[in-house]
Amino acid sequence: MKLVKKYGNWDNEANVLINAYQPEDLRHASEVIAAAKDIWYQQWVKSGIGDQGTCCGGKAIRVWYLGKGKRKPEQRSIVYCDFVQGNVAAYKSVQPALDFLQSKNVNAEYYDGWMD
């Protein structure tokens, strides 16, 4: 990981420092990321395989990422929710995966995607 400026659109974010993952960090975390996807899916199955909410694309767990040779970090999806369309069902089942990632020192957040 690398400590970099966030480069926000507002003055209060211009000098915020964040830890951004780099390509080698994500390669090293590939097994943890795969396990998080399985945890998310299994939680959705346990919740009854519902499909509540608005049909949204891009629902995912994301991290701050700094690509090779880049200066500006961006948010990158590392675990995609490709098993359900509804954003409410995805949101209700994501927390165990986020908790697992946090326990493995992966700083991630849920992204609700966009309406389809």
Side-chain angles (χ1 to χ4, degrees):
M1 278 199 292
K2 187 171 183 177
L3 191 63
V4 294
K5 285 186 181 180
K6 189 175 180 182
Y7 293 107
N9 294 329
W10 299 277
D11 288 338
N12 62 346
E13 289 188 347
N15 292 312
V16 173
L17 294 174
I18 59 168
N19 281 313
Y21 290 87
Q22 296 182 287
E24 60 271 12
D25 299 321
L26 295 184
R27 277 194 297 279
H28 291 312
S30 63
E31 289 180 22
V32 170
I33 292 167
K37 179 170 177 99
D38 186 56
I39 290 167
W40 192 358
Y41 175 75
Q42 293 303 325
Q43 182 63 30
W44 176 69
V45 169
K46 283 182 195 175
S47 70
I49 311 177
D51 195 8
Q52 303 89 22
T54 303
C55 179
C56 289
K59 298 177 304 302
I61 294 173
R62 302 191 311 184
V63 296
W64 281 101
Y65 176 77
L66 184 66
K68 188 172 182 170
K70 302 285 184 176
R71 289 182 43 211
K72 184 178 177 183
E74 61 188 12
Q75 290 199 300
R76 173 172 259 189
S77 297
I78 59 169
V79 179
Y80 293 93
C81 181
D82 54 7
F83 47 85
V84 64
Q85 293 181 13
N87 66 329
V88 173
Y91 177 78
K92 285 182 176 180
S93 57
V94 73
Q95 195 59 52
L98 290 171
D99 292 344
F100 171 75
L101 289 169
Q102 187 69 36
S103 76
K104 300 296 182 182
N105 296 316
V106 176
N107 299 321
E109 61 186 40
Y110 173 69
Y111 174 62
D112 211 23
W114 55 87
M115 281 181 45
D116 189 17

